[in-house]
Amino acid sequence: MSSPSAAVPAAGAVGVLGTGSCLPGDVVTNEDVGTPAGVTPEWIEQRTGIRARRRAKPDDVTSGLATAAARTALAAAGIGAGDLSLIVVATSTPDSPQPPTATAVAAGLGVPPGTPAYDMNAVCSGFVFALVAAERMLHGTAGHALVVGADIYSRILDPADRRTAVLFGDGASAVVLGPVRGRGVIATRLASFPDHRDLIRVPAGGSRIPASPESLAGGLHYFTMDGRAVRAFVEDHVAPMIDGFLQDHGAPASGADAPRVHFVPHQANGRMIEKLAAGLGFPPERAHATVREYGNTGAASVPVTLDHAASRLAPGDLVLLAGFGGGMAAGLALLEWGPRGLRPARPTGA
C-alpha cells in the first residue's frame, strides 16, 4: 500500500482553499463562570484545561458570527461570494428554528439567488458532517462550497450547572472547499450511536416538549450533559474509530514509517483531548488545541482549531479532523494540505 503522503495527483480532488474564524471580543474568565457555578478557577482549569472562553454580545446572533468567519475564509481562498455553489452551516444554536441560519449567511454575504444554503445539526460533530456532505456534492464539478461551524452556547447554558457552564464558549469558523492539486479530502467516515442519544441534549423546544411556561420554569431549555458517560463514550467508541480509520488509510499517528499527520479534534475538554491524542500516539506538536483560550465552541471548535493550526502546516502534511458529540455521533476527515499552503487548482498553462 502506498503512503497517503505521497505526491500523487488526483483528478477532481476537492480540498480546503481558505479558512477563517470569528471569536467574540468579550473574554470570560474562569472566575466569571466559576462563581455562579460554585467552583473555583483552579478547579475548572485542573479538570478541563480551560482558562478562558469568548462570549457573544446580547445583540450577536449565530448567523452574524458565521458571516464574519465566512468573509475571512473567502478572502483567504481568493474567491468571492458569487463564486459559491453551496453553503452549509453546522449549528445546534441557530438564529431561530426556521428559516435555516445558512440563508441568513447567504443574504449577509450577498450570494446570488438560487444558491443552495442549508443547516446541518449533528451537534459538535456537525462541522465534519457538513464538510463531508459538501465535498461529496462538489465532486465532478468545478464549484466551491462554504462550510461553517457556528454556535452561541452561552444562550442555552444554566450558569449554576458546573458540568456545562464552565466548558463552553461562543464562536464561528469557516472553510472554503474547491478544486485542488493533490488529493485534498482523502477519506471520510461518519457514525452515529443512537443508543447514547440522551447523554447530551436540550430537552425542550421541539415537538416532544414544546415551549411553555412550565418548560421554562423547569429549566428544560438548558443544555445538559452526562460528562462521565461522554468521556466513557469517547474512550470506548471514538478512540477505536480514529485508530481504525488511520490504519485503514495507511496513516498511523506514530511509527517509523508513519506520515506526518496533524490531529485537529473537537475541543470538548482539554484533559479529555490530551488523553485521546496521547493514547492514539500523536506527539504534542501535532495535536492541535484551542480549548485553553476559547473553551468548547461546539460545531465551531474543529474549524477554529484548523484555522489556528494552518500556519503550522506544511505542503503534503496530512490533517485528521475529528468531531464527536451529541447524538451520539462522530465524524472523521483525512485531508492532504495543499502545496504552498492553501491554493486553488488552476488549469494547466493558466
Side-chain angles (χ1 to χ4, degrees):
M1 179 182 294
S2 62
S3 167
S5 63
V8 180
V14 174
V16 175
L17 302 180
T19 65
S21 298
C22 176
L23 284 306
D26 288 352
V27 178
V28 179
T29 67
N30 283 347
E31 185 174 4
D32 294 332
V33 296
T35 299
V39 294
T40 66
E42 294 76 19
W43 185 93
I44 297 171
E45 185 170 359
Q46 180 183 15
R47 286 164 174 77
T48 70
I50 298 171
R51 294 184 179 177
R53 70 285 294 146
R54 301 296 179 89
R55 181 170 294 166
K57 295 182 181 298
D59 59 348
D60 284 334
V61 292
T62 299
S63 63
L65 301 186
T67 302
R71 288 196 178 103
T72 303
L74 287 167
I79 69 169
D83 298 315
L84 292 173
S85 309
L86 172 70
I87 297 175
V88 189
V89 174
T91 184
S92 54
T93 58
D95 290 3
S96 58
Q98 298 180 35
T101 296
T103 58
V105 175
L109 294 173
V111 173
T115 304
Y118 64 90
D119 291 355
M120 173 77 73
N121 182 0
V123 197
C124 295
S125 303
F127 174 79
V128 179
F129 274 62
L131 182 143
V132 171
E135 186 261 344
R136 299 289 172 85
M137 292 178 72
L138 288 181
H139 265 300
T141 77
H144 299 85
L146 175 70
V147 183
V148 188
D151 273 310
I152 299 183
Y153 265 79
S154 61
R155 305 280 166 82
I156 59 171
L157 296 177
D158 178 356
D161 182 1
R162 68 181 187 180
R163 296 169 297 181
T164 59
V166 304
L167 289 172
F168 288 89
D170 302 331
S173 191
V175 303
V176 174
L177 298 180
V180 293
R181 293 192 178 97
R183 286 167 300 165
V185 179
I186 297 170
T188 61
R189 185 170 296 171
L190 304 177
S192 293
F193 304 85
D195 288 348
H196 301 281
R197 64 188 179 278
D198 289 335
L199 298 186
I200 295 174
R201 62 193 187 124
V202 177
S207 61
R208 184 179 297 276
I209 305 177
S212 67
E214 292 76 20
S215 68
L216 290 170
L220 299 181
H221 296 266
Y222 285 134
F223 175 93
T224 66
M225 178 173 65
D226 184 337
R228 290 186 178 180
V230 169
R231 188 181 298 270
F233 169 83
V234 171
E235 294 174 354
D236 295 342
H237 296 281
V238 177
M241 178 177 167
I242 293 173
D243 186 56
F245 178 75
L246 291 174
Q247 297 294 338
D248 288 348
H249 296 286
S254 60
D257 298 323
R260 182 180 169 91
V261 184
H262 289 260
F263 186 39
V264 180
H266 168 50
Q267 305 290 295
N269 174 305
R271 304 308 179 207
M272 180 191 296
I273 60 176
E274 286 170 2
K275 183 177 180 180
L276 177 63
L280 291 166
F282 286 102
E285 67 272 14
R286 287 195 272 117
H288 298 275
T290 54
V291 68
R292 184 173 70 173
E293 298 87 4
Y294 302 129
N296 179 344
T297 52
S301 80
V302 169
V304 163
T305 306
L306 177 63
D307 188 31
H308 279 249
S311 63
R312 297 164 57 187
L313 301 176
D317 281 353
L318 300 186
V319 181
L320 175 65
L321 307 181
F324 50 88
M328 297 293 284
L332 308 176
L334 184 65
L335 323 175
E336 181 182 73
W337 207 244
R340 295 177 294 165
L342 306 174
R343 298 288 184 191
R346 300 194 183 281
T348 302

